[in-house]
Every structure is written in structure tokens, then in C-alpha cells.
């Protein structure tokens, strides 16, 4: 699958129609959730039938304007949230189980995306793939597509979904394309373990470090100023309207909130861009990448470091690592972080130290190294040990079962064509460890 995003350029009245389409999709989703709450043994097919009933109901004339497949997609999104809640209950996860909620127009929670999704009907692309026309009852008209990726290389049969997303700086159209994406990778025997940190974004087992960009810290002064402006201009007792295009009075409170939202959007885009580029460069230059499986939800409970940990976006980086590893056909292993900073990577003895101690000095063997470099070497050793067990096993999988990362093991994906390369990689690494001069 490939997702291509393009910005929609149109007139102001067209943007208002897009808002009505998005609100109608939210109405369909909320109606499906209410139907599930009020009735027992509701299945996915029942929600699909509810969509057609809402379209025929004269009390909701706007529901019929939305494309039938777009109504079904909104019902599917409601069913996905219900299924996720059921799954969390079956797994008996600690804490909240994610009970489905009602996204509203004024909801400021980021997990509720303001969007509407089409499947294969309700829209039409121009022959040159530079414009798109929405043909359902709302009659939004023709929009120009501004994107750096050329859609002319893909046929309309390859486009399985089209989603219209509203953000703080405008409206975007996402195309989900069925295409086989595969990258060639030259195996050169390079292996690396990385230790994620705050001083440096990560430090690898070779001693190299990538600088932590700290995007939130750089724009924190600007954010605080805009947040104070929003707070001053808020009128007590009045609920602010978050709909960008329907706000016609041009109130200062509305303009300040848009400015604040755009700065937050800029920070999120900078984090994603840094995570994507760093992960791709790391995968392209190595044949095996080992990283520590950090529990971010537990780490942010430290209120002294929570903001810096969130700003580093480690989880997003590791997700892109796994994606590019599968794309290039190499191994990417997540290991438990226990004792990686305390143990000596040279002799294996435990050397206890606080978080403020940044240099590892082993009193047993005299090895001295940077704290993060020592941890990266331990992480790589753990990954090679796990990889050797997988390559030498008959099944190629762990025997623990269940969630692999819950036990500190990686959901390692190894194709049959690369198994021979990995076995040679392990043998070469063992020879190099036994003969350091080579």
C-alpha cells in the first residue's frame, strides 16, 4: 500500500461544503455508536443497515446527500473503535480499555481526525490526475490537487480509498493506492545497535550519535505566547467554535486558536520528517538494526522528563524503523532495555550508576566509554543473541507465544531469501568478535 497526500485548492464556498461533508460523516459515526450502546448483540452488518435507514429518514435530509460508500466507511470506523474496545477487554489490559466516544465538532482531541472517506465511487479524477471532482449530493465541485507526487503513474483501479482531511492550514486529500513496493538492499555485513536518548536522539554501537532536534523546545516561546493570547481572548461562558470555515464573525479568539493550531501542526510535521529520514538512512546503511523496546507510557510518568520524551517522538521513529526494515527485507529487532546502561559491554559486570552519570567506567576491566555508547553495544549483543537463536532454531520463531514485545522479543520478520544472509551475518560477527584484529 502507498498513501499519497495532496492539498485541495478551491473557493471558500467549496470549503464550506467540505465541512458539511465531514460533519455528516461524524453524524453517521455517532449514530452508529448510539445504536450500539442502546441495543445488544449489534454486528457490523447492523451498522451498515443503519446507514441506509438514516439516508431514508426525512428528519435527516443531509444524510442522503453523502455518498453511500462514504456512509458505509463512517460506519466501519465506528465498528473499528468497537472492535478495539472488545479486544482490549479480552486481553485484560490495565487501565482504560478505550470505550468508544462521540467525536463532536468542537472536540479538540487529536485522536478524532476530522475527515470523510470515499471508497471507489463519489469522486472523479481528471485525465491528467491534477484535479478531483466530488459527485455526491453535496456537489462540492472541482478541486485542484497540489502534491509533489505524480498520480499519473497510477490508474483509478489502483486507488482503493480517498480520504478528505481537514487540518489547521487547509484541506488535504489522501489516496490509498494498491501498489507493490519493494526496495533493493545490498548486504554488506553492517550491524548496529542504537540507544535512544535525550542528549542525542540516538547513539549507535559504533560510537556515532544523531543530534536531538528538540522542535518543541525551539518553538516553546512562540507557543506560550499564542496560548496566552487564546486564554486572554476567550469569553467566559461562551463555547468556542472550532469549525474554521463556519466562523463568520471573525472573532479574535478564533484567529488566535488557528495560529496556535498551525504552530502545533508545524511541530508534528517536523517530528515526522525527522523520524522518517533518520529511520530510512539507518536502514539503508545497515543489514541488522537492534533497538530497545521502550515503554513510552511509563517513561512519561516522570514529570521532569515527560516533555522532552514526548518531543523526541521515539515511538514514531521505531515504527518507521520497522516499516523500512520490511521494505528493504532486513532484520529489525526490539530487545528489552533492562540493564543495558548498567552492565559493562566489555566484561559483562554490573556497574550501577545514576542517570546523571554520563560516562561508563568499569572498575572490573577498566573499560571507559560514553554511557549511551556502552548501552548501544549491550543492545547489539542482545539482538545478535536473539538472532542467533532464531536462525539456529528449526521453526524460526520464539517459543514464548502471545505478544512478542511483551516478553522483550521482537516481532521479527525474516523472509526465506534473507535467512542465508542473516546466518552468514551471524557467523561473520562471531569471527570478528573472536579475532578483533581482523
Amino acid at each position: 500500500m502507498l498513501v499519497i497526500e495532496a492539498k485541495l485548492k478551491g473557493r471558500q464556498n467549496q470549503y464550506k461544503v467540505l465541512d458539511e461533508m465531514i460533519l455528516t460523516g461524524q453524524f453517521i459515526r455517532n449514530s452508529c455508536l448510539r445504536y450500539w450502546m442502546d441495543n445488544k448483540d449489534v454486528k457490523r452488518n447492523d451498522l451498515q443497515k443503519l446507514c441506509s435507514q438514516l439516508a431514508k429518514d426525512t428528519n435527516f435530509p443531509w444524510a442522503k446527500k453523502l455518498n453511500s460508500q462514504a456512509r458505509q466507511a463512517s460506519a466501519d470506523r465506528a465498528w473499528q473503535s468497537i472492535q478495539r474496545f472488545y479486544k482490549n477487554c479480552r486481553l485484560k489490559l490495565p487501565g482504560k480499555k478505550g470505550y468508544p466516544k462521540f467525536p463532536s465538532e468542537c472536540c479538540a482531541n487529536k485522536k478524532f481526525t476530522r475527515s470523510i472517506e470515499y471508497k471507489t465511487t463519489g469522486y472523479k479524477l481528471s485525465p491528467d490526475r491534477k484535479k478531483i471532482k466530488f459527485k455526491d449530493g453535496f456537489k462540492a465541485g472541482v478541486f485542484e490537487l497540489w502534491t509533489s507526487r505524480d498520480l499519473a503513474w497510477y490508474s483509478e483501479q489502483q486507488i482503493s480509498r480517498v480520504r478528505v482531511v481537514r487540518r489547521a492550514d487547509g484541506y488535504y486529500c489522501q489516496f490509498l493506492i494498491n501498489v507493490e513496493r519493494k526496495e533493493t538492499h545490498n548486504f554488506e555485513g553492517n550491524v548496529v545497535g542504537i540507544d535512544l536518548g535525550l542528549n542525542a536522539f540516538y547513539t549507535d554501537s559504533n560510537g556515532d550519535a544523531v543530534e536531538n532536534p528538540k522542535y518543541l523546545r525551539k518553538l516553546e516561546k512562540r507557543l506560550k505566547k499564542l496560548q496566552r493570547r487564546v486564554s486572554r481572548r476567550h469569553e467566559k461562558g461562551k463555547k468556542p467554535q472550532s469549525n474554521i470555515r463556519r466562523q463568520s464573525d471573525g472573532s479574535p479568539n478564533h484567529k488566535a486558536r488557528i495560529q496556535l493550531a498551525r504552530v502545533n501542526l508545524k511541530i508534528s510535521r517536523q517530528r515526522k520528517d525527522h523520524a522518517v529520514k533518520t529511520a530510512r538512512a539507518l536502514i539503508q546503511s545497515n543489514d541488522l538494526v537492534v533497538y530497545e523496546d521502550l515503554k513510552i507510557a511509563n517513561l512519561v510518568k516522570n514529570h521532569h522528563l515527560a516533555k522532552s520524551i514526548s518531543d523526541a517522538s521515539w515511538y514514531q521513529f521505531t515504527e518507521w524503523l520497522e516499516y523500512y526494515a520490511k521494505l528493504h527485507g532486513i532484520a529489525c529487532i526490539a530487545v528489552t532495555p533492562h540493564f543495558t546502561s548498567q552492565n559493562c559491554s566489555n566484561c559483562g559486570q554490573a556497574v550501577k550508576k545514576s542517570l546523571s552519570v554520563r560516562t561508563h567506567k568499569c572498575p572490573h576491566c577498566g573499560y571507559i566509554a560514553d554511557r549511551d555508547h556502552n548501552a548501544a553495544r549491550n543492545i547489539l549483543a542482545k539482538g545478535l543473541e536473539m538472532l542467533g537463536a532464531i536462525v539456529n532454531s528449526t521453526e524460526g520463531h520464539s517459543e514464548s507465544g502471545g505478544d512478542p514485545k511483551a516478553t522483550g522479543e521482537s516481532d521479527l520478520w525474516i523472509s526465506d531469501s534473507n535467512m542465508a544472509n542473516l546466518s552468514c551475518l551471524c557467523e561473520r560477527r562471531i569471527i570478528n568478535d573472536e579475532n578483533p584484529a581482523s
Side-chain angles (χ1 to χ4, degrees), residues 6-8 125 129-130 132 143-147 151 175:
K7 191 168 187 178
L8 295 175
L125 285 171
R129 303 293 192 274
K130 298 294 183 180
I132 185 172
F143 293 85
E144 295 182 8
L145 296 174
W146 288 16
T147 178
L151 289 170
F175 297 90

Side-chain angles (χ1 to χ4, degrees), residues 41-50 72-73 75-76 79-80 83 119 161:
D41 300 329
V42 176
K43 303 298 181 182
R44 179 177 178 271
N45 191 35
D46 298 331
L47 300 184
Q48 298 292 333
K49 293 179 181 179
L50 180 63
Q72 295 173 4
D76 289 339
W79 180 248
Q80 289 174 3
Q83 287 290 89
K119 294 183 180 180
R161 296 290 178 103

Side-chain angles (χ1 to χ4, degrees), residues 15-28:
Y15 295 144
K16 293 181 180 179
V17 176
L18 291 181
D19 282 334
E20 294 178 0
M21 294 163 52
I22 293 173
L23 291 177
T24 304
Q26 289 183 353
F27 167 76
I28 298 295

Side-chain angles (χ1 to χ4, degrees), residues 201-382:
F201 183 71
Y202 76 78
T203 303
D204 61 19
S205 55
N206 300 322
D208 301 326
V210 173
E211 181 185 1
N212 189 359
K214 300 180 181 179
Y215 295 115
L216 178 62
R217 297 292 184 180
K218 292 179 180 179
L219 293 175
E220 192 171 16
K221 185 176 180 180
R222 174 66 175 166
L223 278 174
K224 288 182 179 180
K225 182 179 179 180
L226 291 175
Q227 286 168 351
R228 288 195 299 267
R229 185 180 299 175
V230 172
S231 180
R232 286 197 305 266
R233 296 181 180 182
H234 174 68
E235 297 182 15
K236 188 175 181 180
K238 290 188 177 181
K239 194 173 183 179
Q241 296 295 323
S242 62
N243 193 334
I244 298 176
R245 303 301 174 184
R246 288 191 178 186
Q247 190 79 4
S248 58
D249 57 354
S251 62
N253 180 38
H254 172 71
K255 296 178 182 178
R257 286 187 297 107
I258 297 302
Q259 293 175 352
L260 178 62
R262 288 182 176 178
V263 175
N264 283 307
L265 181 62
K266 178 181 179 180
I267 294 173
S268 65
R269 285 173 172 171
Q270 287 176 329
R271 289 173 178 170
K272 180 181 177 181
D273 182 71
H274 178 263
V276 170
K277 292 180 178 178
T278 307
R280 182 171 60 234
L282 190 63
I283 293 296
Q284 289 176 346
S285 57
N286 295 281
D287 301 334
L288 171 66
V289 178
V290 186
Y291 67 93
E292 49 187 346
D293 183 22
L294 297 175
K295 304 300 180 183
I296 309 298
N298 296 334
L299 292 174
V300 294
K301 293 179 181 179
N302 184 348
H303 299 294
H304 299 284
L305 300 176
K307 184 183 292 186
S308 298
I309 292 173
S310 300
D311 192 18
S313 63
W314 292 333
Y315 178 79
Q316 189 177 35
F317 171 69
T318 55
E319 287 293 306
W320 283 106
L321 269 182
E322 294 284 352
Y323 169 75
Y324 281 114
K326 291 185 178 181
L327 198 63
H328 286 259
I330 71 170
C332 186
I333 307 177
V335 299
T336 55
H338 305 310
F339 307 108
T340 54
S341 297
Q342 304 296 330
N343 293 345
C344 179
S345 60
N346 190 42
C347 64
Q349 296 293 330
V351 183
K352 293 186 177 181
K353 46 185 161 310
S354 62
L355 189 60
S356 60
V357 178
R358 306 310 305 172
T359 303
H360 170 77
K361 297 180 181 180
C362 182
H364 304 282
C365 64
Y367 179 71
I368 301 176
D370 182 75
R371 176 195 181 100
D372 296 336
H373 183 206
N374 176 72
R377 293 183 57 179
N378 286 327
I379 291 170
L380 177 60
K382 278 190 173 184

Side-chain angles (χ1 to χ4, degrees), residues 77 84 98-101 103 107-114:
R77 293 170 70 177
R84 183 168 56 251
Y99 190 82
K101 296 182 179 180
C107 183
N109 198 325
K110 294 182 180 179
K111 69 179 180 180
F112 292 130
T113 304
R114 297 178 176 91

